[in-house]
Amino acid sequence: MRKLTASIPARFAILSFALFFAFSLIARIVLAISAHSELGFNGSLLGAFAVGLLYDLAAGVFAAIPWLLLGIILPSRLSRKTWAQWLLAALAVLYTGMLVFITTAEWFFWDEFGARFNFIAVDYLIWTQEVWGNISESYPMGLIMPAIALTAVAIVWGMRRAGLFGFLDERATTCLRHRASGLAVLLTVPFLTNRLVSQSYIPAFGNQYDTEIAKNGCWAFFAAFKQMELDYKRWYLEGDENEMLESARQLLVTENEKPASGAADDLSRTISKPGKENEWNVVLICMESLSADFMSYSGGSGSLTPNLDRLRENSVFFENLYATGTRTVRGMEALTLNLPPTPGQAIIYRPQGTDLKTTFGPFLDRGYDCGFFYGGDGRFDFMNRYFSTAGCRIMDSNAWEEKDTTFKTSWGACDEDLFNKAIAEADKDHAEGKPFHFFCMTTSNHRPYEFPAGRIDLTPADRRSGAVKYADWALGDFIEKASGKPWFAKTLFVIVSDHCASSAGKQDIDVTKYRIPGMIYNPALVQAQKISKLSSQIDIMPTVFGLLNWNYTTLSFGHDYLSAAATSLPERSFVSNYQKIAMITPDSMTILKPNKKHSSYNCLLATGELTPMGNREKAAALLRETIVWYQGASWLFGSGKLKR
């Protein structure tokens, strides 16, 4: 085959671009095959591939920049040296290896999340210690990495043999004209590409999987990195600010929850309760990835969650509860700020997410010891920063003694170690006569799904099932141990999941992937009952405060579902997936999307089935209410009103 005779900069740029484009196309085909059961092989999928090619071209432009720059600055005489050609070959192998690695990583990411790279992938790059440990324990990286390297070497060798990767020969030159033209391309083409192509331009396909297929993994990654926060006023439907705030005030007011002032820009409420306040301890247990489907009340066999099912029968149980998002920090945000999820990353993750008015405030005002307990490194996802500036003691693994950890994975100590640490700290507080409120975040129900042997009749080889059953066992063991403590008689145990085990679905937002269990337990203090109304994570702690019979002022958008006014509360919950934020009612879903878009659906909560809402009057009313909730929450955070 005849060798290329183009200039060195052009040759470098063309070959690197072609490699990137080829791998991007291969990745899209492989992911489409992987999701074949979810895709509709029709015009929508063809459109997704057509759009995807555009984004592959755009991303390929940026992938070729380093090679174009190398070709511009590399002297022709030096480039013909044998050692220089070997060095360039090594760089080619490294570049190709990166493309193979990215394609492989995309497959694994798709396998777990059903999506191209997004905010989660950005987090994974930042938090390398935990994530690499998790990956190495979940997959045979000792085989995968050498295979990637050998594949890269084979590809470069094959291209060289075919005459496509003969970097340099006597005809390959880089004169001043070539360097100037290469520099002009370097300065203009990437700039124009960045200005003309945006991920937000991807059309809304009928199947969400088609939308994901249309993306380019690398482009999607950097788009997610740039859009860590989404400004509500710029990207989402909004109403007149004063009207929206007034509507929010009206929606929040109930019989016992009155505006704290008459100021138009004050969304705080005063919660008034008759009678004596209860000085009970509160231990909130946030269970990692515990979907409602694992439990018997939502269709599970009960074999994986016997302790949770038993506790449910003796608790105030939220039977129709929905998580606000798909990440742990989003669940933490809902449980401590009691606000609908603002678009973009969770507030906990953002630089401004410090020194905020949280649910710890009323406890701190009453002299409680507040603590955040976590078996891993709480610096992950900025959890320590958030909880410490909210007034909590940080009791992550860095504050533990070596003897406190008996079994650990890359994500941290096993759940039983976490609970044993919480019991030890509760004993200390009780001995000092100090009430306490602990927030305990579990980790065992997470990849790599490893746990101590001999606890249950399953092993880590059972993957998720084993992890769920162990997490249930550890919780049951904790309650049993706590029941023998003198402080148990005055302690409420709040058990709730952070999010579901998976979130991917065919719809814009698959509501079936957001249903979680939530309960408030202590038979000596609260009467067992079911709360069947549609409710949200943001309603958990307001209900706890109601049981405590406390008077306090709050900016919470959640409500006490056991109050006298609960029967008249509108049924609504809030769900999100970073860019799309939605309000659901028992029969509808209203979604707000970037670029001022929205969708209104009739929704069957049991199946997640969505059909366009034909009742325009109802759709308009629900849309306005959805805007009120989300614009109000975004305004509250952006205005600084949430600061302590």
Side-chain angles (χ1 to χ4, degrees):
M1 181 177 289
R2 184 184 178 187
K3 293 184 179 181
L4 294 172
T5 59
S7 68
I8 293 174
R11 183 180 298 187
F12 280 11
I14 291 170
L15 289 177
S16 58
F17 176 88
L19 267 175
F20 183 90
F21 186 86
F23 273 98
S24 297
L25 181 59
I26 291 170
R28 182 169 292 104
I29 293 172
V30 170
L31 296 184
I33 294 173
S34 174
H36 69 277
S37 61
E38 307 291 350
L39 294 170
F41 288 87
N42 50 31
S44 178
L45 182 59
L46 291 176
F49 265 79
V51 172
L53 292 179
L54 170 63
Y55 285 88
D56 292 346
L57 291 171
V61 167
F62 289 93
I65 287 176
W67 288 97
L68 179 60
L69 180 61
L70 178 62
I72 293 172
I73 65 176
L74 186 67
S76 298
R77 286 181 298 174
L78 178 63
S79 64
R80 294 192 181 95
K81 300 291 185 182
T82 301
W83 65 266
Q85 293 197 26
W86 277 104
L87 177 61
L88 291 170
L91 290 174
V93 170
L94 179 62
Y95 175 73
T96 306
M98 289 178 60
L99 295 179
V100 178
F101 177 83
I102 291 170
T103 303
T104 305
E106 278 212 83
W107 189 89
F108 284 123
F109 192 84
W110 182 279
D111 181 58
E112 183 166 358
F113 297 104
R116 302 301 282 265
F117 290 148
N118 54 29
F119 280 124
I120 301 174
V122 174
D123 288 352
Y124 278 16
L125 180 66
I126 295 173
W127 303 102
T128 54
Q129 179 179 343
E130 289 82 359
V131 173
W132 180 252
N134 178 37
I135 292 173
S136 62
E137 292 170 356
S138 300
Y139 304 104
M141 299 306 295
L143 297 176
I144 292 174
M145 294 304 292
I148 290 174
L150 289 174
T151 301
V153 171
I155 291 172
V156 173
W157 181 82
M159 294 181 69
R160 188 179 184 90
R161 291 280 295 177
L164 296 177
F165 226 83
F167 278 103
L168 304 157
D169 58 33
E170 66 279 0
R171 291 169 295 175
T173 60
T174 306
C175 65
L176 182 61
R177 177 171 57 85
H178 290 149
R179 296 183 194 277
S181 60
L183 184 61
V185 170
L186 182 67
L187 294 176
T188 58
V189 175
F191 173 78
L192 291 175
T193 302
N194 186 59
R195 298 287 295 182
L196 297 175
V197 181
S198 170
Q199 187 158 287
S200 62
Y201 298 160
I202 294 177
F205 294 98
N207 188 325
Q208 184 64 19
Y209 282 100
D210 290 343
T211 302
E212 293 297 326
I213 287 293
K215 297 177 182 177
N216 174 277
C218 292
W219 191 279
F221 179 88
F222 286 103
F225 187 84
K226 288 173 60 180
Q227 297 176 353
M228 193 69 70
E229 298 180 43
L230 293 174
D231 180 68
Y232 185 91
K233 298 183 73 173
R234 177 181 177 186
W235 292 103
Y236 295 87
L237 286 173
E238 60 177 330
D240 178 80
E241 187 172 283
N242 293 330
E243 291 182 8
M244 292 298 106
L245 292 178
E246 179 57 33
S247 296
R249 284 164 58 87
Q250 293 175 8
L251 286 170
L252 290 169
V253 169
T254 68
E255 180 181 341
N256 297 319
E257 304 174 351
K258 304 297 184 182
S261 74
D265 62 348
D266 185 3
L267 295 183
S268 61
R269 293 168 294 149
T270 298
I271 313 300
S272 300
K273 294 285 187 177
K276 183 181 178 181
E277 294 188 349
N278 297 310
E279 192 180 87
W280 298 340
N281 307 306
V282 176
V283 177
L284 190 155
I285 302 162
C286 193
M287 301 286 288
E288 172 68 44
S289 304
L290 188 70
S291 302
D293 292 346
F294 292 133
M295 295 182 61
S296 59
Y297 82 98
S298 188
S301 66
S303 62
L304 298 182
T305 58
N307 291 293
L308 281 162
D309 287 331
R310 174 178 54 82
L311 294 171
R312 173 179 64 87
E313 295 294 335
N314 297 286
S315 298
V316 173
F317 185 70
F318 291 80
E319 194 172 36
N320 206 12
L321 179 70
Y322 287 80
T324 60
T326 60
R327 293 293 317 282
T328 294
V329 284
R330 188 62 90 181
M332 289 177 167
E333 170 193 83
L335 292 167
T336 57
L337 290 176
N338 307 154
L339 293 174
T342 53
Q345 261 288 6
I347 287 174
I348 291 176
Y349 200 95
R350 303 179 195 177
Q352 301 89 349
T354 59
D355 299 295
L356 303 181
K357 297 175 181 176
T358 67
T359 52
F360 298 106
F363 290 98
L364 294 169
D365 291 342
R366 289 164 175 78
Y368 276 62
D369 172 35
C370 293
F372 168 59
F373 288 75
Y374 182 56
D377 188 341
R379 291 173 295 183
F380 179 73
D381 274 354
F382 304 103
M383 293 184 290
N384 281 357
R385 182 187 68 182
Y386 174 78
F387 282 98
S388 64
T389 61
C392 292
R393 279 195 300 137
I394 300 302
M395 293 300 298
D396 69 344
S397 61
N398 297 308
W400 296 17
E401 297 179 21
E402 187 174 347
K403 64 180 179 61
D404 295 330
T405 302
T406 64
F407 183 93
K408 66 183 298 185
T409 69
S410 57
W411 285 105
C414 61
D415 288 357
E416 61 188 273
D417 288 344
L418 171 75
F419 292 139
N420 287 335
K421 187 64 178 176
I423 286 176
E425 293 299 309
D427 287 343
K428 292 179 183 178
D429 279 346
H430 179 74
E432 296 174 4
K434 193 168 189 176
F436 54 86
H437 170 37
F438 295 160
F439 189 111
C440 302
M441 183 68 229
T442 72
T443 59
S444 291
N445 186 25
H446 193 294
R447 288 182 185 270
Y449 309 130
E450 295 180 354
F451 48 87
R455 301 296 192 266
I456 58 174
D457 57 0
L458 298 177
T459 70
D462 294 292
R463 308 294 289 166
R464 172 73 74 177
S465 296
V468 171
K469 190 161 189 176
Y470 170 74
D472 175 84
W473 175 89
L475 177 65
D477 180 66
F478 170 60
I479 295 297
E480 182 179 354
K481 289 177 179 176
S483 65
K485 297 294 183 178
W487 44 263
F488 179 83
K490 293 181 61 179
T491 302
L492 289 179
F493 296 88
V494 183
I495 305 165
V496 61
S497 178
D498 58 350
H499 56 79
C500 284
S502 65
S503 60
K506 294 183 180 181
Q507 308 287 1
D508 278 349
I509 294 180
D510 187 345
V511 73
T512 65
K513 304 299 179 70
Y514 290 81
R515 194 180 181 198
I516 57 172
M519 63 189 81
I520 305 169
Y521 173 81
N522 192 323
L525 300 178
V526 297
Q527 181 180 355
Q529 58 182 299
K530 295 178 182 178
I531 297 176
S532 298
K533 293 186 66 170
L534 177 65
S535 52
S536 169
Q537 270 177 316
I538 73 172
D539 301 309
I540 294 289
M541 284 306 294
T543 303
V544 171
F545 286 127
L547 289 170
L548 292 171
N549 207 47
W550 282 5
N551 300 298
Y552 63 105
T553 299
T554 182
L555 285 169
S556 162
F557 280 19
H559 290 289
D560 174 7
Y561 268 53
L562 294 177
S563 69
T567 55
S568 61
L569 289 174
E571 294 189 70
R572 86 290 175 268
S573 194
F574 308 98
V575 294
S576 69
N577 64 0
Y578 294 111
Q579 293 190 19
K580 296 171 185 175
I581 49 181
M583 181 183 77
I584 57 176
T585 71
D587 63 356
S588 73
M589 176 185 288
T590 305
I591 304 176
L592 304 181
K593 306 175 183 180
N595 294 327
K596 308 287 185 179
K597 297 179 180 179
H598 77 281
S599 297
S600 298
Y601 298 105
N602 297 311
C603 178
L604 294 177
L605 295 183
T607 64
E609 181 182 353
L610 301 178
T611 56
M613 185 174 292
N615 187 330
R616 293 187 178 181
E617 184 176 346
K618 178 180 179 181
L622 289 171
L623 175 61
R624 188 180 190 282
E625 183 179 344
T626 304
I627 293 172
V628 168
W629 288 120
Y630 282 106
Q631 185 175 345
S634 297
W635 173 86
L636 197 59
F637 176 65
S639 66
K641 299 286 186 179
L642 276 179
K643 289 293 184 179
R644 294 172 68 188

